[in-house]
Amino acid sequence: MSSQPSLGEFDIIDKYFQKSAPRQDVILGVGDDAAVVALPDNSHIAISTDTLVEGVHFFADIPPRALGHKALAVNLSDMAAMGAEPRWVTLAITLPEINEAWLAQFSKGFYDLAEYFNVSLIGGDTTKGPLSITVTVHGVVPHGKALRRDGAKPGDWIYVTGNLGDSGLALAHLQHQLSLSPQQLELSLKQHYFPQPRVLAGYGLRDIASATIDISDGLYNDLGHILRKSSCSATLKLEQLPLSETMNEAVSIDQSIAFALNGGEDYELCFTVPESNKGSVDTSLSFSGIQYTCIGQLAPGKGEIKLQYKDKPYQLDQAGWDHFV
Ligand code: ADP
Ligand code: MG
């Protein structure tokens, strides 16, 4: 660490980032020059990194427990989108100061989620500077089973997990673009601060989905990635979009469609399923306990998305778009 804080880098690591016994497959965890892990047979390793920077990805006053959760959750969501089982993470954290109350809460948010999914923190880096958090996750997936973005085909059905738009709704409130009731705010903030990575759904999709992506930038953008990688177009049936009661109560139907398509930070999965596997979706996902909804179908194309509401073409009003760009 370039500039030594009062508590000391190693004290911080000992106290806040070495809290639970690592998985059995961790040969060397925190405390050596590098971590060493044992790899399972017949598996590929899936690796992903995400950085959260204060002022860019979160506000300075975000509850530290939420930040700890979210920094890990966004990475686990990438594993879910690959159908991979997350196993090991590293954490590079840059802190402006040593605030023990803050660190305790951050660490709690991080570890609560890590322990839930049996993920071990095996290393990282701790530096002084503007607040920023980078998590790298390593997961395993059986040979040939990784869920990619480029496998979708015309005719496949489009699904999403969970509800869409609540995180964006909470963000709009935090940015004073609308005003939610205390209860609406509490429910939507839960989605914004504590997204639930759909790891179990990812396992269930390994044998049935033709393409999968996690929705971090809004359904419209992220479905677009599948479409372009797979050379398809899509028709979305907007009346099918899964919306929470909070969303339905808080805003008009047109606004809720805008939030669902463009709100961002849902961390739900969008996946495509060939007609021949459609009957297996129930069985594959039932054990995960995760809600899922069919919202449209693919056709040949180059990435176009056709919006329909009750079988009529739907024009998202310009305000609905501008709000998010
Ligand atoms: P090096 O000088 O080799 O970079 P460091 O002094 O940065 O090692 O880190 C010492 C040990 O603590 C290493 O095993 C590193 O992976 C781990 N570590 C450092 N910061 C963190 C952190 N925020 N979370 C988890 N492990 C960390
Ligand atoms: Mg270091």
Side-chain angles (χ1 to χ4, degrees), residues 26-195:
V26 177
I27 313 299
L28 272 176
V30 172
D32 215 301
D33 294 307
V36 176
V37 296
L39 305 182
D41 291 339
N42 305 317
S43 292
H44 289 155
I45 306 290
I47 305 165
S48 176
T49 295
D50 262 306
T51 296
L52 301 182
V53 177
E54 182 184 305
V56 180
H57 303 100
F58 59 89
F59 298 121
D61 63 354
I62 186 175
R65 193 165 70 84
L67 186 59
H69 174 99
K70 199 160 172 175
L72 180 57
V74 301
N75 280 276
L76 298 187
S77 178
D78 284 321
M79 291 292 105
M82 298 307 295
E85 178 197 336
R87 291 199 172 183
W88 313 289
V89 288
T90 56
L91 166 67
I93 186 164
T94 305
L95 298 164
E97 58 175 353
I98 302 309
N99 174 338
E100 289 215 52
W102 191 97
L103 273 168
Q105 284 298 303
F106 176 88
S107 166
K108 177 159 176 45
F110 192 95
Y111 272 98
D112 281 351
L113 184 61
E115 282 165 11
Y116 182 82
F117 284 111
N118 192 19
V119 168
S120 289
L121 179 62
I122 57 170
D125 205 15
T126 308
T127 52
K128 187 168 174 145
L131 183 59
S132 144
I133 293 133
T134 298
V135 172
T136 300
V137 59
H138 296 71
V140 301
V141 60
H143 276 177
K145 294 284 185 188
L147 296 166
R148 307 158 56 121
R149 297 178 178 184
D150 61 4
K153 297 269 181 321
D156 290 359
W157 297 93
I158 307 165
Y159 289 78
V160 290
T161 59
N163 290 323
L164 298 180
D166 290 322
S167 177
L169 182 69
L171 182 63
H173 176 99
L174 295 179
Q175 293 179 323
H176 309 291
Q177 290 162 351
L178 50 75
S179 183
L180 299 174
S181 73
Q183 203 205 3
Q184 291 164 352
L185 180 62
E186 190 187 327
L187 290 170
S188 57
L189 264 185
K190 212 171 138 211
Q191 302 302 316
H192 186 64
Y193 282 154
F194 294 98

Side-chain angles (χ1 to χ4, degrees), residues 258-318:
F259 278 114
L261 292 181
N262 290 312
E265 297 196 272
D266 293 307
Y267 298 105
E268 297 295 346
L269 297 182
C270 172
F271 57 97
T272 57
V273 176
E275 173 71 30
S276 56
N277 287 345
K278 207 175 181 216
S280 310
V281 179
D282 287 339
T283 357
S284 295
L285 290 186
S286 60
F287 77 99
S288 73
I290 295 167
Q291 169 197 310
Y292 55 90
T293 314
C294 185
I295 56 165
Q297 196 173 17
L298 300 181
K302 293 194 191 114
E304 310 86 341
I305 298 180
K306 215 159 67 177
L307 302 178
Q308 287 183 354
Y309 189 81
K310 300 193 174 158
D311 295 327
K312 296 212 173 65
Y314 182 88
Q315 194 70 43
L316 198 61
D317 73 47
Q318 199 55 40

